[in-house]
Amino acid sequence: MKIILIGPPGGGKGTQAKLLVEKFNIPQISTGDMLREHVKNETNLGIAAKGYMDSGQLVPDQLILDMMETRFQKSDCKNGYILDGFPRTIPQAEGLDKSLKKIGHQLTNIIVLEIDDNIIVDRMGGRRVHAPSGRIYHIKYNPPINHNKDDVTNEELSIRDDDKEKTVRDRLKVYHELTSPLINYYSNKNIVSTIDGSLKIDEVNNKIINILNNKWLKLE
Ligand code: AP5
Ligand code: MG
């Protein structure tokens, strides 16, 4: 399974990717999580990326493509992956096509999460994350077992720097301008499925699993 999750910021890509990792045992590759790790470790890439991320803008395509080229070389990519937040622009999609051709991979599914901007703004105010693992919670829709504590480590949860309403609105603008054209870019491949991302977390998850199962049953 070589899956791309496309959706607006706060659309549920990370939440769904984590559920798919558990179900299908393939890695989640989140460029956002990778970049946040670089920022935390103050690498050259992290230092270059921080300003863009804090202001809700995209990190330049070439930096992302270089980072992903290295990521695809890891052995856990052999049996598939869930790309969460990449590609984000047409040049990134073209770069991805080239990388996949080089390693002989073909995308199997593009899942698009569709959701209204106003629901997103409401959701993002309640997001809490366990930064070291990338585990995602919501104070109302997916609360942790203990107040503001990660379910696995019991460490304190945090709020992402870019979850302020103004930055969320800027990220939504960037999504509509630069990322949503990808849906059209991939439409001729016949592997695009669109899902209503405003449904409950488990309802969205069931729909994705149905799509993936149908695809694999057909191939068997
Ligand atoms: P990134 O980390 O990828 O952020 P994003 O795409 O803006 O998306 P989010 O992670 O904010 O949302 P999500 O869709 O994962 O939703 P989640 O599951 O958390 O990127 C951050 C920044 O890095 C970018 O702005 C950019 O600067 C840079 N960057 C990253 N990749 C890049 C690239 N390829 N090129 C250039 N720059 C790049 O859910 C959100 C909340 O809602 C959570 O609290 C969750 O619990 C809750 N929730 C989820 N689903 C539901 C549901 N169905 N019902 C109710 N609540 C729900
Ligand atoms: Mg995410």
Side-chain angles (χ1 to χ4, degrees):
M1 289 182 179
K2 299 175 183 80
I3 306 164
I4 299 180
L5 291 179
I6 297 180
K13 302 180 297 296
T15 300
Q16 295 302 327
K18 291 239 170 322
L19 294 171
L20 297 176
V21 167
E22 278 171 35
K23 170 109 187 142
F24 297 109
N25 200 22
I26 50 173
Q28 168 197 17
I29 303 183
S30 157
T31 43
D33 286 350
M34 291 163 79
L35 289 168
R36 279 184 285 280
E37 192 62 24
H38 278 280
V39 170
K40 193 180 93 195
N41 296 331
E42 297 182 354
T43 64
N44 287 341
L45 172 56
I47 292 163
K50 189 176 181 338
Y52 295 103
M53 296 173 76
D54 286 349
S55 61
Q57 300 304 308
L58 294 182
V59 174
D61 290 332
Q62 199 52 52
L63 295 180
I64 300 290
L65 288 169
D66 292 345
M67 177 176 84
M68 286 303 295
E69 180 94 33
T70 315
R71 182 64 185 86
F72 279 126
Q73 283 157 14
K74 288 202 178 171
S75 60
D76 65 343
C77 287
K78 262 195 301 218
N79 296 326
Y81 30 77
I82 304 149
L83 300 180
D84 159 8
F86 172 83
R88 273 283 227 282
T89 62
I90 300 282
Q92 288 185 24
E94 291 167 347
L96 173 63
D97 284 346
K98 279 192 204 140
S99 300
L100 293 182
K101 208 168 170 190
K102 248 194 244 169
I103 52 176
H105 285 188
Q106 242 181 351
L107 294 169
T108 56
N109 297 84
I110 317 271
I111 309 274
V112 181
L113 298 173
E114 245 182 9
I115 176 161
D116 190 82
D117 286 6
N118 291 321
I119 301 181
I120 303 266
V121 174
D122 168 57
R123 270 190 195 174
M124 298 296 246
R127 173 160 61 183
R128 299 292 180 273
V129 292
H130 178 245
S133 67
R135 276 186 287 276
I136 304 159
Y137 301 88
H138 191 282
I139 49 174
K140 196 156 114 199
Y141 306 121
N142 184 24
I145 298 166
N146 297 318
H147 177 70
N148 213 40
K149 296 278 189 330
D150 177 48
D151 287 353
V152 177
T153 63
N154 216 33
E155 288 166 336
E156 202 76 17
L157 301 179
S158 56
I159 299 179
R160 259 174 54 177
D161 289 342
D162 55 354
D163 272 354
K164 290 183 223 88
E165 180 169 342
K166 157 89 175 70
T167 318
V168 170
R169 293 215 181 264
D170 289 342
R171 286 159 63 200
L172 281 166
K173 203 163 159 248
V174 169
Y175 175 76
H176 293 302
E177 275 173 22
L178 298 175
T179 306
S180 62
L182 289 177
I183 300 167
N184 199 26
Y185 177 87
Y186 285 118
S187 61
N188 64 348
K189 285 196 198 283
N190 251 346
I191 52 170
V192 179
S193 313
T194 302
I195 291 179
D196 178 358
S198 68
L199 298 172
K200 292 196 179 117
I201 293 175
D202 57 340
E203 291 172 332
V204 175
N205 189 239
N206 286 337
K207 284 187 184 286
I208 297 179
I209 288 172
N210 278 342
I211 288 165
L212 297 177
N213 281 341
N214 277 340
K215 169 103 186 177
W216 297 105
L217 286 177
K218 266 189 222 149
L219 288 180
E220 268 169 13

